Amino acid sequence: MSKRSKNHHYVPKVLQKQFWAHDEHVWYSEKDESGQYCAPYLKHVDKTFFIKNYYTVLDGDELSDVVEKKFYGSIDNYLGEIFPQIMGIFEAGSVPEFEGEALPSLINVIVEMIKRTPEFTRRYEDLAIGREVALDVLNQDESDERKQAMLALLQNESKLKELGRTVRVRATIDISDRMASILDGFSLRWAISETNHSYLLSSRIGYQIGNGGPNGLQNHNAEIWMPVSPKHALVLLRDPANRIPPKHVVSPMQMRKINEYAARNSNQIASHSQRLIESIVRKRAVLR
């Protein structure tokens, strides 16, 4: 039997690779308990953007990494294949296009990338979820044996967290018919930097932008931006008349706003550029 995976990256290393400063390291900063970013420092991508057992679920009475390996593993493998192709097309002077089934596949992956982050699920606390599930069973199940089991479970925080985490993870990877219908109307565009200005990588991964309205995807003006390299971002938007060109050149001012939004709404950020991340957190980098 293979060893159970415990270090679960919510920003996969295959995406972090596009933002390396050098030798599998990125310039990295995270917020402290007061919400302030620490001084940036170089950190190996094995140790960035991960939480132990974040996607571990219960399989019967045993802990399992099936979601991490099978579900998110397949997504990471897909990204590992598609990113080199995307970068190669840009380097050749063209703009990547996704047609047919390739487009909904990519859109689904982007949405799953955003959903996998702590920022997406931060309102759901595993212990609270587990306790709520146990209480629901206790109130509804008339079996004395089942009630005794739930009463015992309510006294065990570790087991409650395992149950709550399983419920959270299983719910996160589910796509409802309603969500699938909403995503069906999106098209793909690219937001490119042609100056020295670059995108940050953040723990939020993608950003929902409302363009003057709510940033929920029901808003027909809403967009999803996801940087895939320091110079390139995927943009999902609705454009039924196909009026928006496939490539949009981002101004330095717009780039700054995107980066500040990313930092403000994320708990960790990273960059290939020491200068960029210092300017965002307003602190000089340190050696660790």
Side-chain angles (χ1 to χ4, degrees), residues 1-214:
M1 294 179 64
S2 61
K3 187 176 180 180
R4 179 167 63 86
S5 170
K6 295 181 181 180
N7 292 344
H8 299 168
H9 285 82
Y10 44 87
V11 179
K13 289 191 285 185
V14 66
L15 176 56
Q16 294 190 57
K17 183 177 181 179
Q18 311 302 318
F19 294 82
W20 285 358
H22 59 79
D23 296 334
E24 300 186 18
H25 285 72
V26 291
W27 287 104
Y28 176 84
S29 179
E30 60 185 7
K31 289 179 178 176
D32 59 23
E33 292 183 356
S34 70
Q36 300 298 310
Y37 278 105
C38 69
Y41 60 99
L42 280 173
K43 193 169 187 178
H44 195 281
V45 295
D46 281 349
K47 301 297 184 181
T48 55
F49 301 112
F50 84 97
I51 297 175
K52 281 189 175 297
N53 289 311
Y54 193 58
Y55 308 119
T56 296
V57 295
L58 286 167
D59 184 7
D61 293 329
E62 299 294 324
L63 295 177
S64 170
D65 60 3
V66 62
V67 173
E68 166 68 6
K69 284 188 174 178
K70 296 293 180 68
F71 187 80
Y72 290 120
S74 64
I75 287 176
D76 295 351
N77 290 339
Y78 170 87
L79 295 174
E81 294 177 1
I82 209 71
F83 279 158
Q85 296 177 36
I86 289 172
M87 294 302 112
I89 292 170
F90 277 123
E91 289 169 6
S94 299
V95 178
E97 296 182 13
F98 288 77
E99 300 176 340
E101 289 301 312
L103 179 58
S105 294
L106 179 65
I107 290 173
N108 286 335
V109 165
I110 294 168
V111 172
E112 292 300 338
M113 291 278 285
I114 294 170
K115 286 166 57 184
R116 76 193 288 182
T117 66
E119 278 78 1
F120 184 85
T121 59
R122 62 185 170 188
R123 54 192 154 165
Y124 306 113
E125 203 271 324
D126 291 345
L127 178 60
I129 296 172
R131 184 174 287 115
E132 182 179 349
V133 171
L135 288 171
D136 283 346
V137 173
L138 189 63
N139 292 331
Q140 296 176 20
D141 199 314
E142 296 181 359
S143 163
D144 287 339
E145 183 179 352
R146 186 69 169 158
K147 284 185 176 180
Q148 291 302 316
M150 288 302 103
L151 287 171
L153 180 62
L154 286 167
Q155 303 305 312
N156 190 326
E157 285 197 357
S158 176
K159 293 296 183 182
L160 282 174
K161 286 181 180 179
E162 290 175 1
L163 174 61
R165 184 174 62 211
T166 299
V167 172
R168 167 180 59 79
V169 173
R170 296 290 189 190
T172 300
I173 64 177
D174 180 56
I175 293 186
S176 66
D177 292 341
R178 180 170 173 268
M179 175 60 75
S181 176
I182 291 172
L183 295 175
D184 189 49
F186 280 87
S187 302
L188 171 67
R189 302 292 184 268
W190 298 94
I192 312 300
S193 171
E194 294 185 345
T195 67
N196 292 330
H197 297 77
S198 299
Y199 290 107
L200 285 172
L201 178 64
S202 86
S203 53
R204 183 171 283 271
I205 294 183
Y207 326 122
Q208 294 175 208
I209 298 173
N211 289 312

Side-chain angles (χ1 to χ4, degrees), residues 90 93-95 189-199 223 225 230-235 237 244-256 258:
F90 277 123
S94 299
V95 178
R189 302 292 184 268
W190 298 94
I192 312 300
S193 171
E194 294 185 345
T195 67
N196 292 330
H197 297 77
S198 299
Y199 290 107
E223 300 174 356
W225 286 54
K231 300 297 182 184
H232 308 90
L234 284 157
V235 181
L237 48 76
I244 300 173
K247 171 184 170 181
H248 166 70
V249 177
V250 182
S251 70
M253 183 177 294
Q254 186 179 16
M255 178 72 74
R256 184 70 182 186
I258 292 289

